[in-house]
Amino acid sequence: MPYKFLDHSSDALVEVRHTDMRGALTDAALSTIDIMLDRDAIQNKTVRHFDIKDDAVHRLLYQWLDDIIFVTLADNFAIKEITVDEFDDSDHIIMKARAFGEPLDLSKHRFRVEVKAPTYHEMKINCDKNGIVLQFLLDL
């Protein structure tokens, strides 16, 4: 699994490790979806597009996770796969992504638990010679 859940008393603390930021952002989104739904039950029928811009990578990660939660719970869209097409941090940070899935059906997609929001609490982003490590807390 490209991510792991760390011990936390009441919320979901997630750690993602990847060789690059595009992969880390993909895995962060997938971990958030996996908390809420059974992705094996979802089919790739339609696509949603995401364009996020910010000056800080922490805020971009927060917005990305918040968008994933919003699309799932408010727009009723069950996401099976994510493709981060672009991540550019040469000036302003820009991320473009696509989510593939279908309309949310709580019984078919086996809804597990509601993720209320990402938080900045315990959020860490580290880059080293081995790649990227993202850590973030999701409020359940």
Side-chain angles (χ1 to χ4, degrees), residues 19-60:
T19 56
D20 60 35
M21 188 59 86
R22 286 174 47 187
L25 291 168
T26 299
D27 293 342
L30 294 176
S31 70
T32 303
I33 298 160
D34 286 343
I35 291 170
M36 296 184 285
L37 305 172
D38 177 4
R39 283 190 304 123
D40 291 336
I42 302 169
Q43 295 179 341
N44 289 337
K45 292 184 177 180
T46 60
V47 64
R48 296 285 178 102
H49 296 271
F50 298 85
D51 292 311
I52 302 173
K53 298 176 185 173
D54 209 303
D55 291 328
V57 70
H58 286 78
R59 287 193 308 261
L60 182 130

Side-chain angles (χ1 to χ4, degrees), residues 11 30 34 60 76 88 97 139:
D11 294 317
L30 294 176
D34 286 343
L60 182 130
N76 295 313
D88 183 356
D139 183 16

Side-chain angles (χ1 to χ4, degrees), residues 26 30 33 39 42 44 77-83 98-101:
T26 299
L30 294 176
I33 298 160
R39 283 190 304 123
I42 302 169
N44 289 337
F77 185 70
I79 299 169
K80 181 172 184 76
E81 294 179 18
I82 298 277
T83 300
R98 292 173 289 153
F100 303 90

Side-chain angles (χ1 to χ4, degrees), residues 81-137:
E81 294 179 18
I82 298 277
T83 300
V84 176
D85 298 308
E86 180 180 345
F87 179 82
D88 183 356
D89 62 353
S90 58
D91 187 19
H92 296 287
I93 304 167
I94 298 169
M95 185 191 92
K96 294 181 186 226
R98 292 173 289 153
F100 303 90
E102 65 181 331
L104 179 63
D105 178 332
L106 296 179
S107 60
K108 175 185 174 189
H109 302 131
R110 295 185 276 285
F111 186 77
R112 294 176 174 146
V113 66
E114 179 180 352
V115 176
K116 296 176 190 170
T119 71
Y120 287 106
H121 179 67
E122 297 196 44
M123 184 182 283
K124 297 175 186 172
I125 301 173
N126 296 314
C127 305
D128 62 26
K129 64 180 180 173
N130 298 319
I132 308 291
V133 179
L134 304 179
Q135 180 179 300
F136 54 91
L137 186 69

